[in-house]
Amino acid sequence: MCTECILDAYSRYAYSVVMSDEVKALLPLQPTTFHILLSLTDEERHGYAIILEVARRTQGELKLSAGTLYRSIQRMLETGLIVETRNRPAPELDDERRRYYRITPLGKAVAEAEAGRLRDLLKMARLCGVAPRTT
Amino acid sequence: MNFYRLLLHLYPSSFRAEYGDEMSSIFALELDRSSGRAARCGLWVSAFAEIVFNAAMVHWEIARRDLFHSMRSLLRSPGFTLTALLLITIGIGANVAVFTLANFVLVRPLPFPQPDQLTKVWEKHPGYPRMELSPANYRDLMASSRSFTTLAAYTGYSMSLVGQGEPRRIEGAVVTANLFSLLERPALIGRYFRQGDGQAGAPGTVVLSYSVWQTAFGGDREIVGKPVSLDNQPYTVIGVMPADFRFPTRETLFWTPFRFKETDYLDRNNDMLDGIGRLKPGVSLAQARSELLLIAARLRKQYPKENEAVDLSVFALRDELSEDSRLLLKGLCGAALCVLVIVCANLGNILLARSLARERELSIRLSLGANRRNLLRHLLTESVLLGLAGGVSATGVAIAALPLLSRLVPSRLPVQQVPSVDVEMLLFALALTVITVIAFGVAPAWQACRGAGLNGLRVGVRTGGAGRHGARSALVIAEVVASVVLLVSSGLLIRALWRVQSVDPGFTTSGILSLSTDLPFPKYNKTSTREQFYGKVLTEVRRLPGVMDAAYITALPMTWGGGIWPVEVDGRSRILTEGNSASLRFVTPGLFSTLGMGIKLGRGVSDNDTADRPWVAVVSESLVQRYWPHEQPIGRHFKFGFHDREVIGVVGDIRARGLERTSEPQVYLSSKQDLDDGLTYYAPKDLVIHSSQPSELLLPAIRQIVHAADPEQPISDVRTMDEVVAGETESRTIQMRVLVVFTGVAIVLAGLGIYGLLAFTVSMRQQEFGIRLALGAGHGDIFKMVLVQGAVLAVAGLVPGLALAYIAARLMESLLAGVRPADALTFSTAAALCLITTLLGTLFPALRAVRADPTAIMRAE
C-alpha cells in the first residue's frame, strides 16, 4: 500500500472522529446550500447579493431563483447554518425590505466538512484514474 | 408586479409574510435589468414555473414536518391513538361494507352494455302482477312491438351432464337464439346461437359457462365442435361465455336454444317464458309500457277466452328485486349510518377531551412563539393521519366482511356473489374518512387553539368551559339517540324473525332428508319408465334401516314457486287469476305420511291410482273452502292440468311458497296419472325420506340405490327439510345478526361515551365537590348530582331516539312479519336497556365523586 493511501485513510479516520454528529447529520449538502454558505463566508449578505455572489463565483453557471434561494434560506435558518443579522449598512445604502444573513460557526463547520467530503471524493476518483480534466 | 404578488399566494402565508417583499423586490430588479420583450417573457415564464415548484416544495416540507410531529405525538399517547383508530375502523368499516353491498345490489349497473336499456317483460294476471309469458303471447308480442330492438325469452332448466366424470345435474337455461345478441356480450371462444340453432329439428347445440368449461372440461381450448351428453342427448359445444357472464342467474352453467314446435303455441296459459327486451335507443320504459298495454288489449280482443284479463307489463331488469330484499339492505345501511353517528360522536368526544387535556401544552407552545395557525395545522394533521390510518384499516375490515354479507346478494341477480373491491368502494371509504376527520377533527382542533393562551398556563385554572361541555353533552345525546334507534330496530327484527320461525309450515321438518334425481327427457318421457325408476328407488330406500317412509314429489315445499294452474270447477273460469289458482304437484304414495301431513278427509294417493283408473286428486283444505264450503268435497270433480280430476282426499294446507307468504291451495296428483309425453316438466324429482338415521349414514346407501336404478342418474340438492325451512329465513337471520352486532357496538360505545363525559366532568369538578362536602353536603347528595346528570343525558337522548325508532320501524314495516311498528315490549325493553347502560356509565364517575377528599383538595388548592 502506498504512503499516500495510508495518509489518506488516516486523514479520513481523523476527520470522521473530529466531525460532530450534528455536522455529520447535515451531510451531504445540497449544491444550492453549499453555494449559499460559500457566498456568506467573507461577508454578510442580503438575498439578492447572495444570488449575485453565487453567479459571480460560478461564472454565471448557477443562477439562483428567488424562490429557490428563500426556500433554501428558510431551511438553513431552521437548521442553524445561517442567522439573520441585525447589522445593516448605512441608511443611504440600505433598503428596509432587505434581510441580511450571516454564516454561523455550525454553518462554517458544515461547509468545511462538505468541502472535505468533496476533496475525499476527488481523491478517490483520482486513485481510480478518474481525474477532472484541467483546462 | 401585481401578478407576481398574486403568484406568491401559492406559498404558505407564513413564508409569504417572511420573504414575499424581498422576493418581489428581487423580481422587480431583474425585470428592470432585462431588456427586450422576449427576455421579459422568459423571466415571467421561469418565475411562474419556479414559484409553482418551490411553493409546492415549501408546502410539502411543512406537511412532512407536521406529519412527523403528529406521528410522534400520536405515538406518545397510544391509548388515545388505538381507541380512535378502533372507532374509525368500526364506523367506517361497517359503512363501507354495507354500502358497497347495497351499491352492488341496488345501484351498480348490470354487467352488460347499455344496461339501462335492458327490461323484463311480464304478463299480468289478476293477483299476479309478474307472470311469465306463454310462447304464443311471446310470439305475438315479438311480431307487434316496436319499442324493442330485440325481444328474447329464456327459462331455467337443469340437465344431467354425463360422460365428464361422475354424472351430475347442472343448472342451465333454455334461451331463444337471439338472447346473447340482445345482451351484447360476445362469446369467449366459439360463437353463440344463430337463428338456425333454434329451429325444430336442428341438431342440439350448447354454449358453456366459463366455470363448467373449467371444471368439467378442464378449460379445453379445442372444446368448440366437440360433443357432450346432456340428459342423454347429444349436443355440440358451439361456444364458451366469458367468466363474468352470468345470466339469468349466477348458477347458470350452460345455455341451449329453444326449439319451439307449433304445438307449443296452442296453449296461451302455458306461462313458462321469462321475457327480456332491449329498448330501442330513445324509447323510455313508460313508452314501452303503454305500447305493451295496447298490444295486450288487442290480444284480449283477439283471444277473449285465453287472454281474458291478461295484460302485459315491462320493468327495468335492474329492478327485478323484491321490495323486501331492497328494504333489508336499506335497513342495514340505516343501521350502519347509526353506528357511524355513534362512532363520530365518540370520536368527537375523545378528540375534545384530548384537546382540553392538551390546552396547557398548546399554551406553552404559543407563549414560546408558536403561531396559532401552525398549531391548528398541526392538530389537523393529527386528525388526518388518524383518519387515513383508520380509513385503511376500515377498508381492510370491509373487504374481509364482504364475503360474510354476500348471502344478502339475491341469487336471481345476474351478478357475481361477492361484491368486488372497486374504485367506487375505495372512493367511498376515502370520502367517509375525510368527512369524519373534517367533521370531528376540525372543531376540537379549533377549540383547543382558541382555548390555549395565558389562561392555560395558570395553575389551578379549571379548563373546559360551558360551551365545550355543551358540545360534548350534545355528542353523547346523539349517541344515545342512535343507539335507541338501533336497539328498537334490532328488537323488532328479532321479534319478526321469531314470529316467522314459529310459523307452522304445515309439514314435519325434522328427520326428513331430501334430494333431487332430476330425470332426463326424452329418456323418461313414458310414465311407466318413470314409475319403474320411482318404484325401484322407493322400495329399496324404504328397506334401509331407520327409514320410516319415503316418497317422490314434483318439487319440495318452499323450493319452487312455479306449477300454478287455474282450477276449473263446473266450467267456470279458464285463465289464471288469484281467485282460481292452485299449485300442481305430482306425488307418489306415501308422501303425506313422509312429510307428516295429516289427511283430514278421504285417503291419500295410492298405488292403484293408475292411468287406467279414474284420475284423482288430493286437495288442501283451502281449495275445499274456496269451492265447496260446508259441502262434502270427496267425489267432487274439477278440471286441472288439462284433465278432469276427482277429489279423493283432503290434507292440511302447507306453506308451499315459503314461511312469509300465503300459498295458493295445493293439489296433489298421482304420479302414475300422466300421459306419456304429458306434463313431463312436472315429473316428480324430489325424493323425501323420513328416517331416524342421520343423513350422513343414509346417503351412501341411497346413492347406491339410485345408481342401481339408473347408473347415469345424478343426485343433487341433498338437504334436510330443516335446512330448507331455515333457508327461508337465511337473509333475515344474516341481517339480524349484523344488526345485533351493530347494536351491541352502539350500546357499548354510548355507555362509554357517557362514562367518558361524566368521568371528565367529575375530575374537573373535584374542587367543587370538595367544597360542597366541606360545607356539609352529604355523600348521597354528591352521588345524586352526578347520577342526575347522567340520567338527564340518557332521557334527552331517549325521547327523540324512541320517536326516530318509531319512524324507522314504520319504514321497515313490511319486514316485520306482522309485529307492530309500535310494539310496546320492544320499545320498553330498548328504553330499559339504554337506561341501564347509561346508568352503568354514570355509576363509576358518581362513586368517584363521592370519594372526593375535601381536606386533600383544599390543601392542594
Side-chain angles (χ1 to χ4, degrees):
Chain A
M1 197 183 272
C2 63
T3 325
E4 195 185 352
C5 295
I6 296 169
L7 279 175
D8 189 57
Y10 174 75
S11 84
R12 265 210 303 273
Y13 166 73
Y15 181 63
S16 67
V17 167
V18 257
M19 194 164 38
S20 75
D21 286 345
E22 196 182 1
V23 173
K24 256 195 245 174
L26 294 169
L27 294 186
L29 278 186
Q30 284 185 3
T32 315
T33 313
F34 190 42
H35 279 294
I36 296 173
L37 284 178
L38 293 184
S39 70
L40 292 175
T41 44
D42 52 351
E43 61 178 275
E44 294 164 1
R45 285 193 162 87
H46 58 79
Y48 190 56
I50 295 174
I51 293 177
L52 293 178
E53 177 63 14
V54 170
R56 189 188 65 77
R57 281 173 192 263
T58 58
Q59 285 148 3
E61 218 161 271
L62 181 62
K63 190 151 186 342
L64 294 176
S65 66
T68 309
L69 174 80
Y70 285 106
R71 186 158 66 83
S72 306
I73 282 180
Q74 191 195 34
R75 217 176 31 233
M76 291 163 79
L77 284 168
E78 278 166 11
T79 43
L81 296 178
I82 56 172
V83 283
E84 203 180 319
T85 167
R86 286 184 190 154
N87 305 331
R88 302 190 74 90
E92 62 275 17
L93 298 172
D94 195 14
D95 177 343
E96 60 176 13
R97 287 172 300 183
R98 284 178 182 160
R99 287 154 185 263
Y100 288 80
Y101 303 99
R102 176 160 52 84
I103 190 166
T104 60
L106 174 69
K108 213 163 212 171
V110 169
E112 277 166 8
E114 177 69 3
R117 192 183 70 82
L118 293 174
R119 180 202 59 204
D120 292 347
L121 217 58
L122 183 65
K123 268 187 192 167
M124 211 184 299
R126 281 209 172 110
L127 282 174
C128 298
V130 184
R133 282 183 199 148
T134 46
T135 47
Chain B
M1 276 315 293
N2 282 343
F3 181 63
Y4 189 84
R5 287 193 176 281
L6 204 66
L7 275 179
L8 289 179
H9 277 84
L10 290 174
Y11 281 101
S13 59
S14 56
F15 188 92
R16 199 171 57 243
E18 197 77 13
Y19 306 110
D21 283 347
E22 226 173 331
M23 285 172 77
S24 301
S25 71
I26 291 177
F27 183 70
L29 260 173
E30 282 179 337
L31 217 52
D32 281 346
R33 289 186 183 177
S34 61
S35 54
R37 216 184 163 91
R40 278 165 178 262
C41 270
L43 202 62
W44 271 110
V45 170
S46 65
F48 180 77
E50 67 107 2
I51 285 180
V52 169
F53 172 75
N54 281 306
M57 291 307 289
V58 173
H59 277 294
W60 163 238
E61 277 160 20
I62 292 173
R64 208 181 50 178
R65 214 168 30 229
D66 280 345
L67 277 175
F68 176 72
H69 286 308
S70 303
M71 192 99 82
R72 251 186 20 186
S73 141
L74 287 175
L75 288 178
R76 265 205 308 266
S77 33
F80 160 79
T81 309
L82 279 178
T83 314
L85 279 180
L86 192 70
L87 283 173
I88 298 174
T89 306
I90 292 172
I92 296 180
N95 276 274
V96 171
V98 168
F99 277 88
T100 301
L101 189 77
N103 176 44
F104 182 68
V105 176
L106 304 177
V107 184
R108 204 184 288 182
L110 296 174
F112 306 104
Q114 287 89 46
D116 294 344
Q117 294 175 349
L118 293 176
T119 56
K120 280 287 303 257
V121 182
W122 296 100
E123 279 186 20
K124 203 169 148 191
H125 292 233
Y128 293 98
R130 292 187 188 198
M131 224 24 208
E132 285 81 7
L133 303 168
S134 66
N137 282 341
Y138 165 67
R139 185 171 65 174
D140 289 343
L141 179 62
M142 266 230 302
S144 341
S145 171
R146 299 284 168 268
S147 299
F148 304 94
T149 45
T150 325
L151 256 177
Y154 61 87
T155 187
Y157 198 70
S158 64
M159 283 175 142
S160 301
L161 177 66
V162 186
Q164 311 293 328
E166 273 287 294
R168 64 175 176 133
R169 199 75 196 162
I170 53 173
E171 293 296 322
V174 191
V175 303
T176 53
N178 58 355
L179 180 88
F180 290 99
S181 60
L182 179 147
L183 293 174
E184 294 181 11
R185 290 292 309 270
L188 179 69
I189 48 175
R191 64 173 177 92
Y192 44 70
F193 305 118
R194 295 193 191 115
Q195 216 55 43
D197 296 322
Q199 274 164 11
T205 46
V206 63
V207 173
L208 300 177
S209 72
Y210 185 87
S211 87
V212 82
W213 175 54
Q214 288 292 326
T215 53
F217 300 92
D220 176 10
R221 303 287 305 179
E222 307 298 319
I223 186 82
V224 173
K226 287 193 176 165
V228 290
S229 170
L230 291 169
D231 272 3
N232 295 96
Q233 293 294 300
Y235 282 81
T236 306
V237 177
I238 60 163
V240 176
M241 291 308 283
D244 63 338
F245 180 84
R246 295 169 187 86
F247 193 87
T249 69
R250 57 170 175 265
E251 275 96 28
T252 309
L253 296 178
F254 70 89
W255 299 267
T256 59
F258 270 120
R259 278 174 279 170
F260 291 115
K261 301 182 290 290
E262 267 315 302
T263 48
D264 292 325
Y265 298 113
L266 294 179
D267 181 11
R268 278 188 185 266
N269 283 319
N270 181 17
D271 301 326
M272 52 155 314
L273 299 178
D274 280 273
I276 178 169
R278 184 177 279 282
L279 290 175
K280 277 184 181 159
V283 175
S284 71
L285 208 59
Q287 285 168 316
R289 205 166 277 155
S290 35
E291 193 207 12
L292 257 57
L293 284 177
L294 288 175
I295 295 172
R298 213 182 55 232
L299 288 175
R300 274 199 301 275
K301 228 181 233 172
Q302 225 169 327
Y303 308 100
K305 268 188 181 174
E306 299 95 319
N307 267 23
E308 182 199 350
V310 172
D311 243 323
L312 291 166
S313 194
V314 58
F315 298 93
L317 185 62
R318 193 81 193 74
D319 297 338
E320 282 298 303
L321 268 184
S322 70
E323 200 42 49
D324 281 0
S325 295
R326 285 168 198 283
L327 211 50
L328 209 86
L329 284 169
K330 285 179 188 166
L332 275 187
C333 288
L337 277 179
C338 281
V339 172
L340 189 65
V341 167
I342 292 168
V343 159
C344 284
N346 240 310
L347 203 59
N349 241 332
I350 64 167
L351 282 170
L352 270 174
R354 182 172 152 87
S355 72
L356 293 176
R358 287 175 74 185
E359 224 168 70
R360 206 176 174 76
E361 172 207 330
L362 298 178
S363 302
I364 292 171
R365 283 169 70 176
L366 271 178
S367 63
L368 289 177
N371 176 321
R372 214 175 270 269
R373 184 193 289 259
N374 289 352
L375 282 188
L376 182 67
R377 204 187 51 228
H378 171 65
L379 291 175
L380 277 180
T381 314
E382 252 183 55
S383 302
V384 170
L385 203 63
L386 266 181
L388 286 180
V392 169
S393 68
T395 311
V397 166
I399 291 171
L402 274 179
L404 304 176
L405 295 174
S406 64
R407 286 194 193 169
L408 291 174
V409 179
S411 65
R412 59 188 304 185
L413 215 58
V415 292
Q416 70 206 42
Q417 185 168 10
V418 182
S420 50
V421 179
D422 60 1
V423 181
E424 246 170 73
M425 173 188 183
L426 298 178
L427 283 179
F428 180 70
L430 184 69
L432 219 53
T433 309
V434 170
I435 291 168
T436 312
V437 165
I438 289 178
F440 293 94
V442 175
W446 178 247
Q447 293 259 15
C449 287
R450 211 181 52 180
L454 282 178
N455 266 349
L457 289 174
R458 282 187 201 136
V459 177
V461 165
R462 298 287 163 206
T463 48
R468 269 179 265 190
H469 187 76
R472 295 193 65 191
S473 302
L475 288 174
V476 168
I477 290 169
E479 284 180 52
V480 176
V481 170
S483 320
V484 171
V485 173
L486 274 177
L487 268 173
V488 171
S489 307
S490 345
L492 287 172
L493 286 169
I494 290 173
R495 292 210 64 199
L497 178 68
W498 285 345
R499 181 170 280 205
V500 173
Q501 281 173 339
S502 66
V503 168
D504 177 12
F507 54 86
T508 311
T509 58
S510 59
I512 310 260
L513 174 68
S514 78
L515 53 92
S516 283
T517 55
D518 230 332
L519 299 177
F521 298 99
K523 182 179 174 184
Y524 282 98
N525 266 13
K526 281 191 168 180
T527 312
S528 57
T529 327
R530 291 201 297 272
E531 286 306 315
Q532 264 179 355
F533 175 83
Y534 299 143
K536 278 186 202 166
V537 172
L538 289 175
T539 313
E540 292 304 316
V541 167
R542 284 180 187 136
R543 279 194 192 134
L544 290 174
V547 171
M548 268 96 74
D549 212 343
Y552 262 102
I553 180 168
T554 300
L556 288 179
M558 299 184 179
T559 60
W560 188 46
I564 310 297
W565 288 68
V567 176
E568 209 179 315
V569 176
D570 305 329
R572 278 180 300 182
S573 76
R574 288 174 55 86
I575 74 139
L576 184 73
T577 65
E578 197 178 23
N580 72 353
S581 59
S583 70
L584 181 158
R585 302 289 185 263
F586 282 104
V587 299
T588 62
L591 177 91
F592 304 118
S593 63
T594 308
L595 284 181
M597 296 162 62
I599 295 177
K600 312 276 180 188
L601 216 58
R603 64 172 176 89
V605 171
S606 79
D607 278 326
N608 298 327
D609 295 319
T610 48
D612 52 350
R613 304 284 297 268
W615 284 31
V616 298
V618 173
V619 299
S620 69
E621 282 176 315
S622 58
L623 193 98
V624 175
Q625 280 299 316
R626 187 199 281 167
Y627 295 108
W628 311 288
H630 320 299
E631 292 175 41
Q632 171 60 262
I634 305 295
R636 298 273 182 179
H637 284 253
F638 63 102
K639 197 176 168 191
F640 191 63
F642 300 131
H643 294 279
D644 184 71
R645 320 270 175 178
E646 181 188 332
V647 178
I648 54 159
V650 178
V651 290
D653 277 85
I654 59 164
R655 295 269 177 169
R657 275 185 180 261
L659 289 174
E660 290 190 55
R661 58 170 292 185
T662 50
S663 305
E664 294 80 4
Q666 297 98 49
V667 176
Y668 303 94
L669 309 176
S670 164
S671 63
K672 291 175 182 167
Q673 294 183 332
D674 188 19
L675 299 176
D676 292 344
D677 294 321
L679 295 171
T680 51
Y681 192 64
Y682 294 86
K685 64 175 176 56
D686 288 339
L687 171 63
V688 279
I689 303 146
H690 186 196
S691 155
S692 56
Q693 295 282 340
S695 50
E696 316 80 81
L697 289 181
L698 275 180
L699 210 53
I702 296 171
R703 278 186 197 284
Q704 273 181 1
I705 292 168
V706 172
H707 187 78
D710 181 347
E712 288 182 337
Q713 180 57 49
I715 287 176
S716 60
D717 300 323
V718 179
R719 53 200 162 164
T720 64
M721 278 315 276
D722 279 327
E723 285 165 356
V724 171
V725 177
E728 279 292 301
T729 50
E730 191 184 26
S731 42
R732 259 185 187 285
T733 313
I734 295 169
Q735 188 216 26
M736 194 206 70
R737 279 184 196 151
V738 177
L739 262 183
V740 166
V741 170
F742 282 1
T743 311
V745 169
I747 195 79
V748 170
L749 287 183
L752 285 178
I754 288 198
Y755 166 77
L757 178 66
L758 292 183
F760 183 77
T761 320
V762 164
S763 72
M764 288 293 143
R765 290 174 69 187
Q766 283 288 315
Q767 183 190 21
E768 176 200 329
F769 292 145
I771 294 170
R772 279 176 188 273
L773 285 170
L775 290 178
H779 282 104
D781 299 327
I782 303 287
F783 187 77
K784 218 165 76 187
M785 258 175 75
V786 180
L787 218 56
V788 164
Q789 199 189 346
V792 165
L793 286 174
V795 172
L798 202 58
V799 174
L802 288 174
L804 275 177
Y806 178 68
I807 295 170
R810 287 295 299 269
L811 289 175
M812 57 178 189
E813 198 168 351
S814 73
L815 283 182
L816 297 184
V819 176
R820 285 189 315 116
D823 184 57
L825 182 66
T826 312
F827 272 76
S828 48
T829 313
L833 265 175
C834 180
L835 279 176
I836 290 171
T837 316
T838 47
L839 286 180
L840 275 179
T842 314
L843 204 59
F844 293 104
L847 286 174
R848 217 174 116 204
V850 170
R851 282 203 297 268
D853 178 359
T855 343
I857 289 166
M858 302 305 241
R859 206 175 291 133
E861 290 300 319

